[in-house]
Amino acid sequence: MFKYFSPKFTISTEEIFFALKNSTWQAGTAAFIVTVLSIPMSQGLMALGSKTRSWVEKLLMLPQIFPALYSILIIFSLVNPFPMGTYGIILVFCVINLGFATLLTLWSTENKMGRMALISEVYGIGRLRFLSRIYFPALKADLWVNFFIIFIFCFSSFSVPLMVGGGRGLNLEVLIYEKIFVEHNWNMAVTLGFLQTLLIFFLSVLIFREQRRPKEVFVKGRYLVSFTGLVFVLVYLLLYIGGYLRGVTTSLAQVPFLFMYIWDLAAATSFTLKTVLLFLLMNGVLLILWLLDFIQRGRFNSAVHMISVSTVVTGFAFYLIFPVSADFDQTKIIFGMSVLLFPALFKLFLQKPIENLSHQINIAKALGISKRVIISEIIFRQLKTRLLAWASFLVLWLSSDYAIVKSLGIQTQTLGMISAGFLSSYRLALSYLISFYILVFWVLVMVLVYTAVKVIYVVYKKFAL
């Protein structure tokens, strides 16, 4: 792919500036809005009991870890007419990232505030004075970090602008896509994509670098509790979850029309199932290789910071590597999605829990226990739930994706492409039904995978003994 890389620009600087300005404006505005809203919403979570709060936190993660297809569907059905273009992109970005930003601010508050809220309450300095003199100065750096995390996610997004850009929301990812597949200006596309990926990678390394801080004992004070923020949290979850359930139930009347596409759906299901199983196998191999490297070196490699890379450039790389033939569609999807999804989901679900096992791993190494036993008996046995969650979202993302598949130049229909096709033609009811079908498919695949893993583990233990 690097033979297409050249620093010589062959398009106007006006075109580049327009796309870069839109990308920065869309990502910056969305990141600013959700960072500001995350402050009262994080304080709203403080009003909940520990068990209730734990469940609400999991629900708040859904818009972030579920594919963008679901958020776009919900917003299309709730906002009518939908503002296609830049403002529509910003709206979708806000919905997707608001829950995650709220949790980031909550975790920063618990990490930084310690007993300061309680002490301020005892001295009666007042809520406004506490917020202006203590809370915001203490969290200023963390809020900036949270802002840039959301900025990176939005800046590198392709699925949202592709679906809701409407021609007026051109951004850098869409420009790269057009240079590749419309104008065939590969030199310019690779140049822009390489620079964008480099920028995102170094920003990610800077933001996620390890920060050693003394552990503060957090004590919740009344100044950190906001019932107005709790209302925001409940409204947000009600609109998201309730909006999707309402969309599915109102679409059930369209089920007879879905039978018109039954053969397309069957072919897409078969193709997606085979691809998912091979994709999980490859990611399982990648996981073991990363774990072997971690056990050997005591830390993860720099690729763990690749949480958000250019979808279009990654897709284009595998588009060039493999022949343009339906026979290679499966291979392109497996490799392309592994590059894009494995580091991000690994960081989200597995990195920190595995690092927390470092002490046990070091003791096992000192006792001469093999790496195979360390992986199976220390890591896999203690992180079964995390591993299942990691694998399940790999399956869900592959099953419902349309943007990565499009950037790979795939000719075979997938479940995600069918749903996105209905959505782009405003047949929301059919798109809702396919999206729900994908959720059922997801559950059934995970039951199959879980059963297979249990059988393999029993056989492994039998022969290991």
Side-chain angles (χ1 to χ4, degrees):
M1 180 174 142
F2 280 99
K3 68 181 179 179
Y4 298 104
F5 176 78
S6 169
K8 297 179 181 179
F9 289 168
T10 56
I11 60 174
S12 67
T13 54
E14 181 180 351
E15 189 176 24
I16 300 172
F17 176 76
F18 179 70
L20 189 59
K21 178 199 72 174
N22 277 0
S23 289
T24 305
W25 168 251
Q26 292 160 9
T29 304
F32 174 77
I33 291 171
V34 299
T35 302
V36 170
L37 289 177
S38 72
I39 296 170
M41 289 176 67
S42 66
Q43 295 175 358
L45 291 176
M46 298 279 190
L48 299 173
S50 58
K51 289 185 178 179
T52 305
R53 181 181 132 178
S54 176
W55 278 103
V56 172
E57 286 180 6
K58 290 180 175 65
L59 293 176
L60 284 172
M61 282 295 294
L62 290 180
Q64 178 71 29
I65 59 179
F66 264 56
L69 172 69
Y70 291 88
S71 296
I72 295 171
L73 260 176
I74 293 166
I75 298 170
F76 268 34
S77 60
L78 292 177
V79 181
N80 190 16
F82 181 83
M84 300 294 286
T86 291
Y87 293 110
I89 292 172
I90 292 172
L91 176 60
V92 176
F93 281 159
C94 289
V95 171
I96 290 174
N97 293 289
L98 181 55
F100 181 57
T102 299
L103 296 179
L104 289 176
T105 303
L106 175 69
W107 298 332
S108 297
T109 302
E110 293 181 336
N111 191 41
K112 282 288 190 70
M113 294 311 298
R115 295 185 176 89
M116 286 191 282
L118 182 62
I119 294 171
S120 301
E121 186 180 335
V122 170
Y123 282 97
I125 69 171
R127 184 184 181 89
L128 290 178
R129 202 171 180 186
F130 164 76
L131 293 174
S132 61
R133 298 288 183 88
I134 298 175
Y135 179 83
F136 286 114
L139 291 184
K140 182 171 66 174
D142 293 75
L143 291 174
W144 274 112
V145 168
N146 296 350
F147 170 86
F148 280 111
I149 290 173
I150 304 303
F151 180 89
I152 288 173
F153 288 151
C154 298
F155 189 80
S156 61
S157 173
F158 178 56
S159 56
V160 174
L162 179 66
M163 185 63 67
V164 304
R168 299 185 299 277
L170 178 69
N171 69 356
L172 199 56
E173 279 283 277
V174 175
L175 178 63
I176 295 170
Y177 178 81
E178 290 176 350
K179 293 303 160 192
I180 293 171
F181 294 102
V182 179
E183 300 177 19
H184 303 289
N185 188 348
W186 292 0
N187 168 57
M188 188 63 236
V190 174
T191 301
L192 287 176
F194 177 76
L195 295 175
Q196 182 203 31
T197 301
L198 202 62
L199 171 65
I200 292 172
F201 178 75
F202 282 114
L203 253 179
S204 301
V205 172
L206 182 66
I207 289 171
F208 290 106
R209 71 186 187 278
E210 189 67 24
Q211 298 178 356
R212 300 289 181 185
R213 297 175 181 153
K215 184 110 175 151
E216 293 279 350
V217 177
F218 178 72
V219 180
K220 180 173 65 177
R222 189 163 47 89
Y223 293 157
L224 287 175
V225 176
S226 170
F227 290 99
T228 302
L230 179 59
V231 172
F232 286 174
V233 169
L234 296 178
V235 169
Y236 173 66
L237 291 176
L238 179 64
L239 289 175
Y240 192 86
I241 300 172
Y244 183 74
L245 294 176
R246 175 180 172 273
V248 171
T249 52
T250 56
S251 301
L252 293 176
Q254 300 294 317
V255 168
F257 291 98
L258 202 58
F259 285 100
M260 297 170 58
Y261 305 93
I262 190 68
W263 296 113
D264 291 336
L265 188 58
T269 302
S270 175
F271 177 80
T272 304
L273 177 60
K274 289 183 286 188
T275 307
V276 158
L277 296 178
L278 292 172
F279 177 65
L280 281 177
L281 181 62
M282 178 170 179
N283 278 266
V285 172
L286 282 174
L287 175 63
I288 291 173
L289 291 175
W290 275 37
L291 292 177
L292 290 172
D293 181 62
F294 176 76
I295 293 169
Q296 179 68 33
R297 301 194 307 149
R299 59 186 176 86
F300 289 112
N301 59 68
S302 297
V304 77
H305 298 297
M306 294 174 60
I307 59 165
S308 191
V309 297
S310 173
T311 300
V312 180
V313 173
T314 304
F316 180 52
F318 291 104
Y319 177 79
L320 292 176
I321 291 170
F322 297 103
V324 182
S325 167
D327 295 334
F328 290 88
D329 283 351
Q330 230 170 35
T331 306
K332 285 190 279 189
I333 291 174
I334 291 167
F335 279 94
M337 290 203 173
S338 294
V339 170
L340 289 164
L341 300 182
F342 181 85
L345 291 176
F346 180 88
K347 190 172 190 69
L348 179 63
F349 288 102
L350 298 176
Q351 182 185 356
K352 187 59 72 174
I354 292 172
E355 288 174 341
N356 291 338
L357 297 175
S358 294
H359 184 62
Q360 297 180 43
I361 292 171
N362 290 334
I363 292 175
K365 287 169 62 180
L367 294 173
I369 297 175
S370 68
K371 293 178 182 177
R372 175 181 62 82
V373 175
I374 291 174
I375 291 174
S376 63
E377 300 302 319
I378 295 179
I379 298 175
F380 284 178
R381 174 170 285 193
Q382 295 186 67
L383 301 181
K384 286 184 290 188
T385 303
R386 286 275 182 169
L387 287 164
L388 186 64
W390 168 77
S392 70
F393 280 100
L394 284 173
V395 172
L396 179 61
W397 273 86
L398 187 144
S399 304
S400 57
D401 175 77
Y402 60 90
I404 301 174
V405 170
K406 201 170 182 67
S407 70
L408 288 164
I410 300 301
Q411 300 179 29
T412 310
Q413 282 277 58
T414 64
L415 292 176
M417 287 291 287
I418 292 178
S419 184
F422 287 139
L423 180 58
S424 61
S425 59
Y426 293 97
R427 288 178 284 181
L428 293 185
L430 293 178
S431 186
Y432 261 114
L433 291 174
I434 297 296
S435 74
F436 184 73
Y437 176 79
I438 291 172
L439 292 180
V440 175
F441 172 84
W442 172 42
V443 172
L444 293 177
V445 168
M446 287 314 301
V447 170
L448 174 66
V449 169
Y450 181 76
T451 304
V453 170
K454 290 284 286 185
V455 171
I456 292 170
Y457 183 73
V458 170
V459 173
Y460 164 78
K461 291 295 289 183
K462 181 179 179 180
F463 284 98
L465 294 173

